[in-house]
Amino acid sequence: MVDYFIPTTLIDTLEFINNNEAKIISGATDLMVQRKKGAEITPYFTKKPVFVFNIKELNFIKESYEHIHIGACTPVSDLLNHKGTPSLLRKSIEVMASPALRNLATLPGNIINASPAGDTLPILYILDASVKIETLNSNRIVKVKDVITGPRRTILNSNEMITEVIVPKEEFTKSDFVKVGGRKADAISKISFTYAVKIKENKIIDLRLAFGAVGPVIIRKEELEEKYTNIELSKFKELKQEIINDYRQYITPINDQRSNKEYRKKVALNLLGDFIDTL
Amino acid sequence: MKDISKTIKKVDSDDKSSGKSKYISDYKMENMLHAITVRSKHQKAKIIKRTYPVLKEGYYIIDHTDIPGVNFVKMIFDDMPVFAENEVNYYLEPIALVVGPDKEEVLEIVNSIEIAYEIQIPTYEYTNSVINYNFTKGNIEKAKKESESEIEYTYNTPYQEQLYIEPQGMIGYFENNQVTLVGSIQCPYYVKAAVVSILDSEEDYIRVKQATVGGAFGGKEEFPSLIACHLAIAVHKIKKSVKLIYEREEDMETTTKRHPATIKLKAYMKDNKILGISSNVGIDAGAYIGLSGVVLSRALIAATGVYTIDNLAVNGDVFITNTVPNGAFRGFGAPQMLFAIEMFIHHIAKDINVEPLTLRQSYLAKQNDSTSTTGTFRDPIIMPEMLEKALKESDFIRKEKEYKQENSLKGIGMSWFLHGCGFTGSGEATHINAVVKLEKDKNDLVTILIAAVDMGQGVKTTMRKIVSNILDIPIENVIYNHPDTNLVPDSGPTVASRTIMIVGGLVARAAKQLKENWIDRNYQIFTEKYKQPSYIKWDEDNFRGDAYPAYSWGINIVEVEIDKNTYEVTVKEGWSVYDVGKAIDEQIIIGQADGGQLQGIGYGYMEVMKAVDGKIQQKNVTDYIIPTSVDAPILHTYLIDNPYPLGPYGAKGAGELTLVGGAPAVALAIEHAIGKKVTKIPVTPEYIMELMSNE
Ligand SMILES: Cc1cc2nc3c(=O)[nH]c(=O)nc-3n(C[C@H](O)[C@H](O)[C@H](O)COP(=O)(O)OP(=O)(O)OC[C@H]3O[C@@H](n4cnc5c(N)ncnc54)[C@H](O)[C@@H]3O)c2cc1C
């Protein structure tokens, strides 16, 4: 029989994962699919499952002057209903899975699942979002982009839990998220592209771009963003081909059951080109 | 007299929407055992040795050595074994069944079974033809000789997965000295015949009952016979109840799908006229023939679609490959052929610089024209009236012109199609011989005794409606339970768009008998048997004569827009006009139309399923993408009555018709939008990118 734990407080959870080889289960929308053995058979777990959905103190959305703080156990659908949710984040959640899934899925789940096709990830990357990681005796705040080290790989230790996602509040002149899936709802991204730009007096003063599902992790290149910042908008447009060429080498998609690499690469660059044209 | 088409509430909608309906996986029986299938790990191999673990008490491994009869699934050809014996011919082919009380332990036993194989080289190419059919009409040699040019195209169509919501499943148990099987099935008597054969038993040793079916689309026509055989062998041996439910991935990887096909069409042309067409069709059966011969013949008979072409040469092959066997799927060979012929007529028109609509109209079949098999379209064909309606409602002609000039990525496409109702050829008379009964008890409650299965298409409602209307009694006084072979006669399988037209026709006749002879408060029973109309003549060997007793007709128009950056297709709106004779219930036909058209459109632009090295790649609902409600366009459906004299109230087939035109309509719309010829489906963004970059 699998030993499991359904805590109602954070402290109990941290104690349990400190003292046991445990696996945190939040919305379970990734885990139960990955670990299923078949109908009427207990899913496969080598570590003790800890079901965190009853921890009320981690189900919240709070705003400070500069940040929005999202409790780890907040289903993403709550973010759709919350007024202050950054518009990019809202956009990515609107096209994530289906309503039933969104009532269960959480941001930490999306982050720790660490799929290059995770839809909130490109957004969390370009918004410079962080997570609060806690253990029984310590806590640290780490940028989302530094949490994920590879496909399905993160820096999280087994005695650690994400308790909060922290997203800076910022106003952009223009921003968007484009998801390319196999259909208009309930599809895993073949490619995604997001951008957020600040323009002042016809000058680009802040440029952020990210691509999903076209490499082992989300692709955001801060050095390239810097290279094309502080230039006139018209000049920026003239540089279209150069910008595309600069990004081209980082777009390294694969062939799989959902699409092929030629398509993924071409569409990723088309979206980049279209962004430049229509800015 | 009430109009039968007026919609009533579906009789099973409350039970289905409230969750009261019991599907097969909801059944629990006392001391029930669970079964899991042991499967081949290779595409083609000899089985050298099996090493079974020592089993705890109460656990069993069932394999070919337990079969009392001959080791074949009884179908048309005896080529598919129930359990592989000395060789396997596709990846995941069933080899044995492990049965026991704890499913987790059953799974462990399955995983511990060792099978030694001698691996052989599999074939995936269309090289091994096991069935060839060919026929001609008119004089193709003369047409060839007189022609001045030839136009040739090759069209390719893919797998399509039924993706019924409820995976395959069945429960078997032993009761009253009968092996009883309850399942999610379309054809109780097919299952019974297969089990009688595998157990080599008396007919009355087997009982087959239908559970509520959560979708089928042809996928539960012949495939369940295989599961039934596996279970029946186990129940016959163990004499306990056993449950076998497929996991979704198991279902998608191992059950029958729509046959992939390659269709080569060549037109012999003179003065912009089509003198004749030769068609070459290859379909991929997978590892065993199954129903592929019948699927091929339906495809071949549809060789000219709705057009009258005087001279024809039609040739087709069923190829065996080392892949999962393919089988029945709504449309049954016709969707492949209709896609090809609809694209072809369009491509011919473009090549000779004639308006496609004009070319279509000049070959559109008329009443008394000769069919592709030199039979006769006996009944009125109202396509011109349907066309007028379709063009008007969709504003097709204006849009067609405008979108082309605008140089936009908008497109509109139209398909014309027909579907032969009932079994191909004289199948109804020679193979099926449907029998129906109507029984009235002393309380004047009337029970319909037929083997037809309601799988969501609404026959529970429509059959009751026919009977209550004829007898002029409340619909609540008409009973129609899930078929049970101990209780109902063999009215044939629930397939081939035959249920309302053929079975419903017989039920209507029985109802009329009862009405004429009605005696209050008396038990009465009336039986009706199928009789082939005498004017229908079919020469099966030469594909000559009337291939079907009647045809339903349709027009689909679909409008799309393509994203210039991502090549994604948005299907914006659809218009359809159908002639199904007479709708027994308008809402039910609209349900068939919406679902069927969406399934056809999905086949045309979205649904990707591929086998790589004999293994299906898209094996769950995340990876096998079908349209959701968000993808579904607004669909406008119009029905025009054209009563068929032998159908109940004039009704003809409707279930398959609504699917077969979807793919060519959406493919032509995309072709129109991008200005490039489309020759294969699905027209995915990946394929559109390829076409658009071949500037
Ligand atoms: C049908 C379907 C459609 C889907 N569609 C999409 C889609 O369109 N876009 C998309 O991005 N995703 C999609 N997903 C994937 C999934 O829903 C998301 O990744 C979701 O965000 C996972 O959240 P969860 O809470 O359910 O994670 P879980 O399954 O509970 O956990 C996932 C991983 O995160 C870890 N974890 C969870 N919470 C914490 C925590 N607080 N601290 C530390 N570790 C934690 C778990 O241990 C596990 O390793 C889909 C899934 C399904 C089943």
Side-chain angles (χ1 to χ4, degrees):
Chain A
M1 210 43 223
V2 190
D3 206 357
Y4 63 89
F5 184 47
I6 309 182
T8 53
T9 63
L10 176 59
I11 185 75
D12 284 354
T13 313
L14 295 175
E15 225 164 73
F16 189 83
I17 62 175
N18 197 58
N19 303 332
N20 292 276
E21 276 291 301
K23 180 76 185 159
I24 291 173
I25 301 184
S26 193
T29 61
D30 276 314
L31 271 182
M32 282 305 179
V33 177
Q34 288 156 13
R35 304 298 176 86
K36 73 171 189 294
K37 268 171 120 180
E40 300 176 63
I41 309 182
T42 316
Y44 167 86
F45 282 101
T46 49
K47 298 176 181 171
K48 294 176 184 172
V50 187
F51 295 92
V52 299
F53 50 71
N54 275 352
I55 307 176
K56 293 228 168 61
E57 63 197 286
L58 292 184
N59 188 341
F60 63 81
I61 303 172
K62 285 184 201 151
E63 287 187 49
S64 64
Y65 187 65
E66 287 185 327
H67 296 98
I68 164 165
H69 298 256
I70 303 151
C73 302
T74 310
V76 295
S77 56
D78 285 6
L79 286 159
L80 291 182
N81 303 327
H82 181 79
K83 237 180 84 211
T85 300
S87 66
L88 271 182
L89 188 58
R90 177 190 303 279
K91 264 194 180 144
S92 69
I93 294 169
E94 275 168 354
V95 292
M96 186 173 165
S98 57
L101 261 292
R102 294 197 288 266
N103 289 336
L104 293 168
T106 63
L107 291 179
N110 208 227
I111 296 166
I112 299 304
N113 190 52
S115 155
D119 281 323
T120 68
L121 301 183
I123 311 298
L124 296 174
Y125 273 53
I126 68 165
L127 294 182
D128 290 325
S130 308
V131 290
K132 186 170 176 192
I133 299 174
E134 293 193 46
T135 69
L136 192 54
N137 330 303
S138 69
N139 71 63
R140 51 180 178 150
I141 290 181
V142 185
K143 285 217 172 144
V144 171
K145 74 170 177 23
D146 298 323
V147 172
I148 297 171
T149 55
R152 307 226 179 279
R153 285 207 315 273
T154 68
I155 59 160
L156 215 69
N157 299 314
S158 72
N159 65 337
E160 289 182 314
M161 174 181 184
I162 293 179
T163 53
E164 215 178 275
V165 179
I166 305 158
V167 187
K169 288 184 181 172
E170 280 194 80
E171 292 288 326
F172 295 96
T173 318
K174 204 174 167 197
S175 67
D176 203 1
F177 172 71
V178 184
K179 168 173 176 167
V180 183
R183 64 183 163 212
K184 299 202 182 301
D186 211 1
I188 308 292
S189 289
K190 295 177 181 178
I191 304 134
S192 69
F193 172 66
T194 185
Y195 66 82
V197 192
K198 291 182 194 166
I199 298 171
K200 207 171 159 189
E201 288 158 4
N202 264 320
K203 217 171 187 183
I204 296 182
I205 57 161
D206 188 342
L207 171 71
R208 308 178 193 185
L209 306 173
F211 298 88
V214 289
V217 293
I218 301 301
I219 291 155
R220 179 180 179 198
K221 292 288 154 201
E222 275 151 293
E223 62 278 17
L224 289 180
E225 292 171 4
E226 235 159 78
K227 179 175 167 188
Y228 295 106
T229 307
N230 284 325
I231 47 179
E232 297 283 329
L233 188 54
S234 53
K235 176 83 184 150
F236 182 75
K237 290 184 180 237
E238 279 168 30
L239 291 172
K240 176 180 168 185
Q241 212 45 53
E242 190 187 324
I243 300 171
I244 290 176
N245 287 341
D246 274 347
Y247 273 94
R248 191 185 303 274
Q249 58 184 305
Y250 299 109
I251 312 286
T252 54
I254 54 165
N255 289 326
D256 65 9
Q257 72 278 19
R258 295 191 196 112
S259 188
N260 63 50
K261 55 184 181 200
E262 292 78 19
Y263 175 79
R264 285 181 159 124
K265 182 148 193 165
K266 175 142 188 169
V267 169
L269 297 175
N270 279 354
L271 290 169
L272 175 60
D274 189 64
F275 150 70
I276 299 167
D277 286 342
T278 57
L279 194 62
Chain B
M1 190 70 198
K2 304 179 259 190
D3 182 3
I4 187 99
S5 302
K6 197 165 170 278
T7 300
I8 64 163
K9 185 170 167 181
K10 249 178 142 184
V11 297
D12 54 354
S13 55
D14 282 346
D15 283 356
K16 281 184 171 163
S17 52
S18 68
K20 198 173 148 204
S21 296
K22 250 178 113 175
Y23 295 88
I24 193 64
S25 74
D26 299 328
Y27 284 63
K28 295 220 162 52
M29 303 186 72
E30 248 178 81
N31 302 320
M32 190 173 75
L33 306 180
H34 295 277
I36 300 179
T37 312
V38 180
R39 299 180 177 280
S40 160
K41 293 199 163 59
H42 297 286
Q43 294 81 339
K44 183 171 168 64
K46 288 219 147 42
I47 295 177
I48 305 296
K49 190 165 171 249
R50 302 157 187 246
T51 315
Y52 292 161
V54 180
L55 297 174
K56 274 203 271 185
E57 193 178 319
Y59 289 85
Y60 306 85
I61 296 176
I62 310 287
D63 68 8
H64 67 100
T65 59
D66 295 302
I67 296 174
V70 188
N71 185 10
F72 290 117
V73 183
K74 188 174 152 58
M75 249 183 274
I76 296 167
F77 297 93
D78 287 343
D79 74 333
M80 180 158 99
V82 167
F83 287 119
E85 225 166 301
N86 303 315
E87 56 174 43
V88 290
N89 287 304
Y90 66 96
Y91 177 62
L92 303 178
E93 179 167 357
I95 297 174
L97 197 69
V98 179
V99 178
D102 185 305
K103 201 170 172 189
E104 192 144 8
E105 291 207 27
V106 170
L107 183 61
E108 272 164 32
I109 296 169
V110 168
N111 292 333
S112 71
I113 289 176
E114 281 175 32
I115 295 174
Y117 300 91
E118 182 188 307
I119 298 169
Q120 298 178 321
I121 298 167
T123 312
Y124 306 124
E125 304 303 315
Y126 286 20
T127 49
N128 183 10
S129 168
V130 288
I131 294 178
N132 173 272
Y133 293 144
N134 57 75
F135 62 92
T136 59
K137 171 188 174 183
N139 189 340
I140 191 74
E141 290 308 322
K142 190 159 166 268
K144 247 186 231 181
K145 225 170 273 156
E146 288 173 1
S147 69
E148 284 167 349
S149 65
E150 293 174 0
I151 296 177
E152 184 179 307
Y153 285 90
T154 300
Y155 301 97
N156 285 295
T157 66
Y159 279 124
Q160 189 179 19
E161 161 64 36
Q162 293 88 356
L163 212 71
Y164 26 69
I165 295 174
E166 180 200 25
Q168 302 274 355
M170 220 175 264
I171 288 183
Y173 53 93
F174 200 75
E175 188 182 71
N176 299 328
N177 202 33
Q178 280 188 309
V179 170
T180 303
L181 297 156
V182 189
S184 182
I185 56 177
Q186 277 175 253
C187 313
Y189 275 95
Y190 276 8
V191 172
K192 181 169 173 172
V195 174
V196 165
S197 160
I198 202 69
L199 296 186
D200 194 18
S201 73
E202 297 295 325
E203 292 275 333
D204 60 8
Y205 183 60
I206 311 300
R207 177 180 191 178
V208 178
K209 293 161 70 171
Q210 179 223 322
T212 306
V213 175
F217 308 110
K220 292 168 184 172
E221 175 172 343
E222 81 284 20
F223 184 82
S225 296
L226 178 68
I227 306 187
C229 287
H230 291 162
L231 266 186
I233 298 163
V235 172
H236 175 66
K237 180 171 170 174
I238 310 168
K239 306 279 191 298
K240 284 192 180 148
S241 61
V242 186
K243 184 177 191 176
L244 177 56
I245 307 283
Y246 276 21
E247 292 297 319
R248 174 65 68 187
E249 294 192 359
E250 183 178 25
D251 189 300
M252 292 186 69
E253 286 189 280
T254 71
T255 70
T256 48
K257 309 172 195 318
R258 190 184 303 293
H259 293 72
T262 292
I263 300 174
K264 197 161 133 186
L265 301 177
K266 192 190 271 187
Y268 303 103
M269 307 292 300
K270 188 181 176 182
D271 301 333
N272 283 354
K273 289 204 170 53
I274 304 170
L275 301 187
I277 292 180
S278 73
S279 332
N280 239 301
V281 180
I283 66 168
D284 180 353
Y288 298 107
I289 300 173
L291 301 180
S292 301
V294 198
V295 170
L296 179 67
S297 66
R298 200 178 260 276
L300 298 185
I301 293 165
T304 49
V306 297
Y307 310 103
T308 298
I309 305 289
D310 294 332
N311 304 298
L312 277 182
V314 180
N315 180 62
D317 291 280
V318 171
F319 293 101
I320 290 286
T321 60
N322 293 103
T323 54
V324 56
N326 296 309
F329 192 154
R330 195 178 197 177
F332 211 76
Q336 293 91 320
M337 194 73 223
L338 283 163
F339 166 70
I341 190 68
E342 282 298 284
M343 300 311 282
F344 191 51
I345 195 95
H346 216 83
H347 293 159
I348 293 174
K350 281 190 179 167
D351 290 355
I352 62 175
N353 256 320
V354 170
E355 267 304 310
L357 184 56
T358 313
L359 190 72
R360 283 166 181 276
Q361 276 171 313
S362 52
Y363 290 94
L364 178 63
K366 296 180 290 297
Q367 188 174 15
N368 296 320
D369 272 4
S370 165
T371 66
S372 65
T373 55
T374 328
T376 308
F377 285 118
R378 270 169 234 282
D379 302 309
I381 294 172
I382 58 165
M383 283 288 276
E385 190 187 331
M386 292 161 63
L387 178 65
E388 203 184 303
K389 179 80 181 164
L391 294 178
K392 181 169 156 256
E393 295 294 338
S394 64
D395 201 4
F396 180 88
I397 291 172
R398 178 186 67 80
K399 287 177 182 166
E400 221 249 353
K401 209 178 280 153
E402 271 182 26
Y403 295 168
K404 220 180 309 185
Q405 285 162 354
E406 275 172 17
N407 220 349
S408 68
L409 287 173
K410 287 187 199 159
I412 190 161
M414 172 160 64
S415 65
W416 296 2
F417 47 92
L418 81 177
H419 198 74
C421 308
F423 262 78
T424 301
S426 41
E428 289 292 343
T430 54
H431 303 309
I432 305 297
N433 276 312
V435 179
V436 313
K437 287 185 177 162
L438 212 54
E439 187 182 58
K440 180 167 86 68
D441 69 7
K442 287 193 171 145
N443 299 318
D444 291 344
L445 295 180
V446 178
T447 302
I448 302 171
L449 294 169
I450 55 176
V453 165
D454 195 320
M455 44 195 153
Q457 87 282 41
V459 294
K460 281 222 157 153
T461 305
T462 45
M463 288 288 181
R464 280 188 223 193
K465 211 172 164 188
I466 289 171
V467 171
S468 77
N469 255 47
I470 290 175
L471 294 175
D472 206 8
I473 58 174
I475 197 154
E476 297 74 31
N477 291 6
V478 184
I479 298 162
Y480 173 9
N481 295 320
H482 289 336
D484 171 343
T485 58
N486 273 12
L487 304 175
V488 303
D490 186 359
S491 62
T494 319
V495 304
S497 303
R498 64 183 290 278
T499 302
I500 281 301
M501 188 176 93
I502 306 275
V503 184
L506 294 175
V507 166
R509 266 168 41 198
K512 281 178 196 145
Q513 284 281 334
L514 175 58
K515 186 179 179 116
E516 279 165 27
N517 299 290
W518 183 281
I519 307 168
D520 277 342
R521 310 238 149 230
N522 254 305
Y523 173 86
Q524 289 178 284
I525 185 157
F526 290 91
T527 304
E528 284 289 337
K529 296 194 169 117
Y530 180 76
K531 284 183 223 66
Q532 179 109 314
S534 58
Y535 55 80
I536 303 249
K537 298 269 186 297
W538 175 247
D539 170 357
E540 191 159 334
D541 296 331
N542 297 306
F543 278 73
R544 212 172 173 85
D546 290 310
Y548 303 100
Y551 301 84
S552 291
W553 302 78
I555 295 173
N556 283 170
I557 292 177
V558 169
E559 204 177 325
V560 301
E561 185 161 8
I562 290 158
D563 187 291
K564 69 178 195 319
N565 295 315
T566 66
Y567 317 102
E568 290 171 289
V569 176
T570 301
V571 180
K572 304 186 74 161
E573 210 163 339
W575 297 263
S576 328
V577 186
Y578 297 108
D579 158 16
V580 294
K582 171 81 181 159
I584 296 300
D585 188 285
E586 211 169 86
Q587 188 55 47
I588 283 180
I589 295 291
I590 288 172
Q592 289 296 300
D594 285 353
Q597 205 192 338
L598 205 55
Q599 202 164 30
I601 291 174
Y603 177 53
Y605 87 108
M606 184 181 272
E607 302 185 18
V608 177
M609 179 171 270
K610 287 183 181 153
V612 174
D613 196 17
K615 299 179 180 177
I616 296 291
Q617 299 298 297
Q618 291 75 16
K619 48 193 180 190
N620 56 41
V621 288
T622 306
D623 291 342
Y624 185 70
I625 298 276
I626 66 169
T628 64
S629 57
V630 185
D631 302 279
I634 306 161
L635 294 172
H636 310 272
T637 302
Y638 309 93
L639 306 175
I640 300 185
D641 287 352
N642 182 18
Y644 167 61
L646 299 181
Y649 291 91
K652 302 188 279 195
E656 297 175 283
L657 176 78
T658 55
L659 182 146
V660 299
V666 75
L668 286 169
I670 295 169
E671 173 162 324
H672 183 224
I674 64 175
K676 303 279 170 189
K677 281 187 186 132
V678 166
T679 56
K680 66 175 185 193
I681 47 173
V683 195
T684 58
E686 286 80 358
Y687 177 37
I688 294 173
M689 175 187 88
E690 220 180 285
L691 289 171
M692 288 179 72
S693 49
N694 287 344
E695 297 285 331

